[in-house]
């Protein structure tokens, strides 16, 4: 069966990729294009797709245009809408998996339990749910939107109804006629609310902070357009280029001149006023922070849904639960049969960090206890031959993350080339001085951005109030910064003397041969 055949204890590979979302599949494709076939993709679930597999809630769709939210090396002329839904994006990732021959490399149902750097053998020991393997290089592509975050609400364990997170939607539970409490007003919630409002007997939305919501210019892509993109691929490339260019031009307002965003706020208010006529409801829904400080959301249906007679908006976060009564921080109470949490993910405290043990015996979480830091969003001090995709300060507030992922894939490719050039058993370890210097430059640039000055608290900020999530520049700047690996920023690590020898080398060759046969 694809994804499980040939998995053996203590298998050795050149590269282990963790995760099969856009980052993991992109890394796998890049490895193959670099001539490397000795790798595995470790996926904790039973299929590929990452966050686009897990998030299947009603109304789930991307807020980045389809032709920009896809790999440049795998254009899709068949996108059905300008903003595609979850099912189409997941199908696209399955298509990429098949097109680039990645299924033999997949190890499904293989959640990584722990990985430890072996300083003598210069490889990673990776313990998974299906056995242990070793890898010379690890590429962690678990993604920041992979582990749902549930708030610690007093009394939640006493609730007698149904409870689930937006990323763990229970499709067997019938919402028709039910009293639904929706917690949160983020990107998932504004897509969920219009869908479940149609079914719920009563929907109560608990809003801690109102979002800025702009109209969504979504429409079906006509058959003529799809035909044109199939027959003349340069037209799809041009479409992608225009979408990219517009967003690059917007970056200055977010990063250097937030005061220029006032016009966008006016558009967002007009979007609300068209649908919401009740002045009291408008007051609840009007943000008091600069647009862009929190993620700008896109919807044509969110405000109309909130204006419906079966919807109540509570302008306060959830504070406690008493039996079947949900209670807001301002004392407002509502009865509920089901609670849906749209409360986001562990972004600045990713659980995978607790499972990565570096050269000095510390976990990545311990190394990052005062805040996430990496070199060029990719490598961390104390963790040789380990690289993350969508690492610290690589997120975007206005464009496609696929652009950032592809830049990191360039860095990964050159990282592997540098190891090949150095030859033998070798590792690259990011110098702490280089990591700190990069982080200082990023944080200095962050000071002027709307994400730091806009007057809000967002999931971009960690527990210390530091923005360790967003990239404070254009995608062009990031691509330039990650085009090549600068060996001056790394320490070249060789095996200690009297370690290994011919026996170890023979064992390694045998393991490698075995793996290549499995992957063939």
């Amino acid at each position: 069966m694809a994804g499980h055949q040939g998995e053996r204890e203590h298998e050795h590979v050149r590269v282990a990729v963790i995760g099969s979302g856009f980052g993991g599949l992109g890394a796998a494709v890049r490895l193959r294009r670099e001539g490397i076939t000795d790798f595995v993709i470790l996926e904790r679930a039973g299929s590929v797709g990452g966050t686009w597999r897990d998030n299947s809630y009603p109304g789930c769709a991307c807020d980045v245009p389809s032709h920009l939210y896809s790999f440049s090396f795998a254009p899709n002329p068949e996108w059905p809408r300008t903003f595609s839904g979850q099912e189409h994006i997941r199908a696209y990732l399955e298509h990429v998996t098949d097109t680039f021959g990645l299924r033999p490399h997949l190890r499904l149902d293989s959640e990584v339990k722990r990985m430890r750097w072996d300083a003598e053998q210069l490889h990673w020991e990776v313990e998974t749910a299906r056995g242990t393997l070793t890898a010379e290089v690890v590429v962690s592509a678990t993604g920041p939107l992979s582990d749902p975050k549930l708030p610690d609400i007093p009394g939640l364990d006493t609730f007698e109804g149904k409870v689930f997170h937006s990323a763990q939607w229970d499709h067997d539970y019938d919402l028709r006629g039910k009293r639904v409490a929706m917690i949160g007003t983020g990107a998932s919630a504004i897509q969920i609310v219009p869908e479940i409002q149609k079914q719920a007997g009563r929907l109560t939305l608990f809003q801690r902070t109102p979002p800025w919501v702009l109209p969504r210019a979504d429409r079906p892509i006509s058959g003529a357009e799809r035909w044109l993109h199939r027959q003349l691929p340069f037209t799809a490339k041009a479409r992608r280029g225009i979408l990219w260019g517009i967003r690059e031009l917007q970056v200055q307002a977010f990063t250097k001149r937030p005061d220029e965003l006032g016009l966008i706020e006016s558009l967002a208010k007009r979007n609300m006023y068209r649908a919401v006529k009740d002045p009291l409801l408008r007051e609840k829904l009007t943000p008091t922070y600069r647009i862009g400080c929190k993620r700008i959301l896109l919807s044509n249906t969110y405000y109309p849904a909130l204006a419906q007679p079966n919807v109540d908006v509570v302008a306060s976060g959830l504070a406690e639960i008493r039996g079947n009564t949900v209670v807001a921080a301002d004392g407002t109470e509502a009865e509920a049969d089901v609670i849906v949490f749209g409360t986001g993910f562990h972004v600045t405290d990713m659980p995978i960090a607790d499972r990565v043990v570096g050269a000095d015996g510390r976990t990545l979480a311990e190394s990052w206890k005062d805040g996430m830091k990496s070199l060029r969003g990719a490598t961390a001090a104390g963790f040789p031959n380990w690289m993350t995709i969508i690492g610290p300060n690589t997120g975007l507030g206005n464009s496609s993350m696929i652009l950032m992922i592809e830049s990191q894939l360039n860095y990964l490719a050159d990282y592997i080339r540098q190891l090949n050039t150095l030859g033998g058993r070798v590792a690259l370890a990011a110098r702490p001085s280089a990591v700190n210097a990069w982080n200082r430059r990023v944080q200095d640039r962050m000071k002027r951005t709307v994400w730091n000055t806009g007057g809000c608290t967002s999931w971009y900020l960690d527990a210390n109030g530091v923005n360790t999530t967003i990239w404070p520049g254009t995608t062009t700047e990031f691509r330039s910064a990650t085009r090549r690996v600068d060996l001056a920023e790394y320490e070249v690590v060789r095996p200690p003397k009297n370690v290994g020898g011919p026996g170890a080398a023979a064992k390694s060759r045998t393991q490698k041969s075995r793996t290549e046969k499995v992957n063939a």
Side-chain angles (χ1 to χ4, degrees), residues 448-475:
R448 299 171 58 186
T449 68
V450 69
W451 307 297
N452 279 34
T453 65
C456 74
T457 299
S458 72
W459 58 266
Y460 300 149
L461 309 179
D462 66 15
N464 300 313
V466 179
N467 192 328
T468 58
T469 305
I470 295 293
W471 168 245
T474 65
T475 63

Side-chain angles (χ1 to χ4, degrees), residues 426-439:
V426 64
L428 291 176
R431 296 182 184 274
S433 59
V435 174
N436 291 333
W438 173 261
N439 190 67

Side-chain angles (χ1 to χ4, degrees), residues 177-181 199-204 308-312 335:
K178 298 294 195 303
R179 298 169 298 179
V180 183
Q199 307 173 45
R202 194 88 204 158
L203 171 61
T204 305
Q308 296 304 308
N310 68 330
V311 178
D312 294 313
E335 296 296 309

Side-chain angles (χ1 to χ4, degrees), residues 348-413:
T348 60
D349 57 343
M350 293 184 288
I352 189 68
D354 289 306
R355 307 179 187 188
V356 185
V357 182
D360 60 0
R362 290 195 305 165
T363 65
L364 186 62
E366 291 169 332
S367 178
W368 282 352
K369 63 182 175 61
D370 295 323
M372 298 191 299
K373 291 182 182 179
S374 68
L375 176 58
R376 303 181 188 274
T379 55
F383 298 84
N385 280 12
W386 179 90
M387 183 175 294
T388 182
I389 306 294
I390 315 183
N393 291 113
T394 60
L396 295 176
N398 75 313
S399 192
S400 172
M401 279 306 302
I402 311 307
L403 301 169
M404 301 296 278
I405 289 172
E406 289 198 27
S407 292
Q408 292 196 289
L409 299 184
N410 291 339
Y411 197 74
L412 167 63

Side-chain angles (χ1 to χ4, degrees), residues 192-436:
I192 293 169
V193 165
E195 297 299 319
I196 64 176
Q197 176 271 321
K198 304 170 188 174
Q199 307 173 45
R202 194 88 204 158
L203 171 61
T204 305
L205 175 67
F206 287 78
Q207 170 193 269
R208 188 170 57 183
T209 309
W212 285 105
V213 183
L214 288 170
R216 180 184 177 91
D218 187 28
R219 64 171 179 81
I221 296 177
S222 69
E225 289 174 275
R226 295 199 298 272
W227 178 88
L228 185 65
H229 294 333
R230 281 196 306 271
Q231 300 301 317
L232 301 172
F234 75 87
T235 60
K237 187 175 181 179
R239 185 174 191 161
R240 177 187 177 91
I242 292 170
L243 292 168
W244 165 78
I246 291 171
R247 283 156 181 78
E248 289 289 273
L249 293 174
Q250 296 170 345
V251 171
Q252 292 284 340
F254 286 87
T255 60
K256 296 180 180 179
R257 296 188 289 273
D259 289 343
E260 294 182 357
L261 293 166
L263 175 61
I264 309 301
E265 288 183 6
S266 299
L267 295 175
K269 288 180 180 179
R270 192 179 306 166
N271 184 42
M272 176 172 57
Y273 291 171
R274 277 198 297 262
V276 180
K277 306 305 179 184
D278 181 353
L280 294 179
L281 181 55
R282 283 182 180 178
E283 185 178 357
K284 289 181 181 180
L285 299 177
T286 302
T288 58
Y289 55 89
R290 174 62 77 193
I291 193 169
C293 184
K294 295 169 74 77
R295 187 178 181 90
I296 299 174
L297 307 182
L298 305 178
S299 178
N300 300 324
T301 56
Y302 179 64
Y303 288 138
L306 296 185
Q308 296 304 308
N310 68 330
V311 178
D312 294 313
V313 177
V314 178
S316 182
L318 181 62
E320 64 174 311
I321 296 171
R322 304 176 193 146
N324 280 352
T325 303
V326 287
V327 185
D330 66 359
T332 303
E333 297 182 0
E335 296 296 309
D337 302 306
V338 55
I339 300 175
V340 180
F341 283 100
T343 47
F345 301 85
H346 290 276
V347 175
T348 60
D349 57 343
M350 293 184 288
I352 189 68
D354 289 306
R355 307 179 187 188
V356 185
V357 182
D360 60 0
R362 290 195 305 165
T363 65
L364 186 62
E366 291 169 332
S367 178
W368 282 352
K369 63 182 175 61
D370 295 323
M372 298 191 299
K373 291 182 182 179
S374 68
L375 176 58
R376 303 181 188 274
T379 55
F383 298 84
N385 280 12
W386 179 90
M387 183 175 294
T388 182
I389 306 294
I390 315 183
N393 291 113
T394 60
L396 295 176
N398 75 313
S399 192
S400 172
M401 279 306 302
I402 311 307
L403 301 169
M404 301 296 278
I405 289 172
E406 289 198 27
S407 292
Q408 292 196 289
L409 299 184
N410 291 339
Y411 197 74
L412 167 63
D414 198 53
Y415 193 100
I416 297 293
R417 291 186 207 118
Q418 296 290 350
L419 292 175
N420 290 340
T421 300
L422 290 167
R425 291 164 58 206
V426 64
L428 291 176
R431 296 182 184 274
S433 59
V435 174
N436 291 333

Side-chain angles (χ1 to χ4, degrees), residues 478-493:
F478 188 76
R479 177 151 296 200
S480 177
T482 53
R483 193 173 300 279
R484 295 283 184 271
V485 169
D486 181 358
L487 283 182
E489 296 180 327
Y490 289 87
E491 177 187 354
V492 178
V493 182

